[in-house]
Amino acid sequence: MHRLKNFNDLNTFGLLFEALAVRDLRVFTDSLDGQVYHYRDKTGLECDAVVHLANGKYGLIEIKLGGDNLIEDGATTLKKLASKIDTDRMRETSFLMVLIGVGNYAYRREDGVIVVPLGCLKN
């Protein structure tokens, strides 16, 4: 088992945060009769969480601790993945979200990506 040696071990802390965030997403999504999946394709492009609802709508979520660079990395990944979706075969995504650790409010970037602090999630 990997131990957190100190609070500066951001890699381990990031993995713990991602696991807890996915757990929260599953709780909220379950109440909406939905599922949460992880996505990774053969090129290595991945998405931390795909929220899929019973009505067929879905959104893509990247989970980051926060900070401008990590938010930008998450948004770039989401836009790249969304651009690869064949909308002739399936719906377009309902939303692209970067879920972050801390913040006072959620906001929508100019490119349409939503940035949401974990504490803002609720039904």
Side-chain angles (χ1 to χ4, degrees), residues 57-96:
K57 291 184 178 182
Y58 68 98
L60 307 176
I61 303 173
E62 274 292 292
I63 301 168
K64 304 291 183 187
L65 282 173
D68 292 339
N69 290 339
L70 289 176
I71 291 170
E72 189 60 41
D73 290 348
T76 299
T77 297
L78 292 168
K79 292 184 291 186
K80 185 175 180 179
L81 178 55
S83 74
K84 293 178 97 176
I85 296 171
D86 183 355
T87 55
D88 291 333
R89 300 182 70 198
M90 65 184 299
R91 291 182 185 206
E92 193 171 315
T93 59
S94 295
F95 65 89
L96 303 175

Side-chain angles (χ1 to χ4, degrees), residues 14-31:
L15 293 172
L16 291 170
F17 173 70
E18 184 177 324
L20 291 171
V22 168
R23 186 203 67 84
D24 285 357
L25 287 170
R26 286 194 171 120
V27 169
F28 293 124
T29 304
D30 187 56
S31 72

Side-chain angles (χ1 to χ4, degrees), residues 1 8 12 19 22-23 25 27 29 46 48 54 62 72-73 85 92 99-100 111 113 115 122:
M1 182 166 135
N8 293 322
T12 300
V22 168
R23 186 203 67 84
L25 287 170
V27 169
T29 304
E46 67 180 310
D48 296 326
E62 274 292 292
E72 189 60 41
D73 290 348
I85 296 171
E92 193 171 315
L99 185 61
I100 60 172
D111 59 8
V113 175
V115 179
K122 62 183 173 181

